[in-house]
Amino acid sequence: MKTNSIIIPAVLLSFFMCSSTLARETYKDVAVIINTNSATSESIGSYFAAQRQIPASHIIRVNAATTEEITNAEFESIRSQIESYLTSHSLTDSINYIVTTKGMPLKVNRGDVTGYYSPSSSVESELCLILGPYAANIGQTGRLSSPYILATQNFSRAQFGIYLVTRLDAYTEAEVRSMIDRAAQADSTVLNTGRFVFDMDSTKSMVSGTLNGNMSDAASALAAKGRLTVLDRTTEYLTNLPNVLGYTSWGSNDANAALYTDNAKPHHQFTVGSVAETYVSTSARSFEPGTVYGQSLIADLISEGVCGVKGYVYEPYSSAIANVQYAFPMYVDGYNFAESFYASSPYLSWMDVVIGDPKMRVRNVRIPQSAWISDSTGGHVTLPVELTTFTGAQSLNTIRLAWTTATESNNYGFEIEKLSTGSWVRIGFVAGAGTSNASHQYAFVDNAAAAGATSYRLKQIDRDGTCAYSKVIEVVFTSSVKEFKLNANYPNPFNPSTRVSFTVAKSGPAVLKVYNVIGQEVAVLFNGMAEAGVVTTVTFDASAQASGVYFSVLESSGSRMVQKMLLSR
């Protein structure tokens, strides 16, 4: 590895959790789909069900083609068989997760497999919607915004109206069995030695909010949680790293991958419980040996030992890629594999396919989101503070941090820390409310803010001295913002969304709108009170708009400013 890669060392963090060993997750809410026409599907499905003690009544056998690509009519036959079984066995509402197997069809070709409004999809992404409130979206053009996106709570079909569907697949049956076995071996010990590797492509944008930016944000969030993280900003395509627990790269889309390896294979040593995402459009187009390359394949990562990975059967567009800024920290915090990757993926009825055991986990409890932690006797221990919000924003020449608690128990207070030259530094303390069932609001002002992006976190301290850390937030500070200014949107050109920021010189009403080239209003991005000296950033989602030139227009206190934007599909 080159010396100018950034290696963030692990540090030890304390959290409120039981010290006793806890039981692993049950699989009583999992259904397994087996294709009766495939011996491989039967073998893998039966093996997984036996290893995870899945009830025999939760194994659904269907009569389906054994080809990876099928027509809509063939999919509807599979769908009908699965829905009929779930309904007749009264499993519709008790099942939360569905697992398909190698030998089942993988993708549904409905004629257009590259368009932004394509009706084609993966089989698994469509099965997420069966027998629920979003079922009418199956087979339609375009994609559905996931109701589980950015959820930070236990998944249940009852609450979100969908199933989380994963697939067990690889080049060979032996590799699938190995993936199943290695997923079962994952536990918290791997967090002490496993590293998260983010291999950027320095020829592409490095700004936060882009795919490279998501890698950087993920690395910062994981470092704050004490995880060993490798963030590479060089032109090198990283290979042959040991103890890789999480991996993200541009795969064959990395401009320099061919200089270091064949077909973008990293040849890393992946740990048990390892997870991955690559920025490759058709990385899951096939799991058959001998597949013609072109773009790289996630099947190669599974061959190297990855236990869970997300890919795409047809062109998904970059907005569909799982945001590792959320997926990896959620996984570290104790969310299972399916929860972590579905909560960080914006669309369903689309090209996504999540490969692996849906309930694979590296922690037996969740931190810090869980309100309760079970102990070995079946009792519960209440977390001392339920933190509901933690935000930050620039206010004139300072940064104001604000947070809210729902309940508190023996809360001594909060130390406020910020990341400075790679280390967390204490910058203040705010006393807590002790024990209270009422909501409390807190604030702290950083008067020594520096220009640029700064990371902050809270260290909550109990009266017995134990402590816990909040999630990390990042606040951008601009040194001179006491002016009326509409900044150029970023990225520009964009597809399908872009960020627009502005400041006003005088506090008061402000309106930010978007118009097309013939002067028609297409969006109102902001309409409210704007505070002088505060940078306001909003997102323009142009998913429903045609390619072309648009104008952002800011009006406040009699002033008006316009910026040109280009939507390019």
Side-chain angles (χ1 to χ4, degrees), residues 253-332:
N253 286 325
D254 189 300
N256 298 288
L259 300 177
Y260 295 90
T261 186
D262 62 310
N263 299 310
K265 299 174 186 176
H267 300 295
H268 295 322
Q269 177 194 56
F270 289 99
T271 68
V272 297
S274 52
V275 295
E277 168 69 292
T278 58
Y279 299 162
V280 180
S281 294
T282 59
S283 58
R285 63 188 177 276
S286 178
F287 293 86
E288 291 301 310
T291 299
V292 176
Y293 272 97
Q295 293 191 314
S296 52
L297 296 163
I298 59 172
D300 289 325
L301 298 180
I302 298 170
S303 293
E304 293 182 5
V306 163
C307 300
V309 58
K310 185 167 181 251
Y312 308 88
V313 299
Y314 301 121
E315 173 58 60
Y317 294 86
S318 60
S319 59
I321 301 291
N323 190 334
V324 293
Q325 177 187 358
Y326 304 110
F328 287 3
M330 285 184 68
Y331 188 59
V332 163

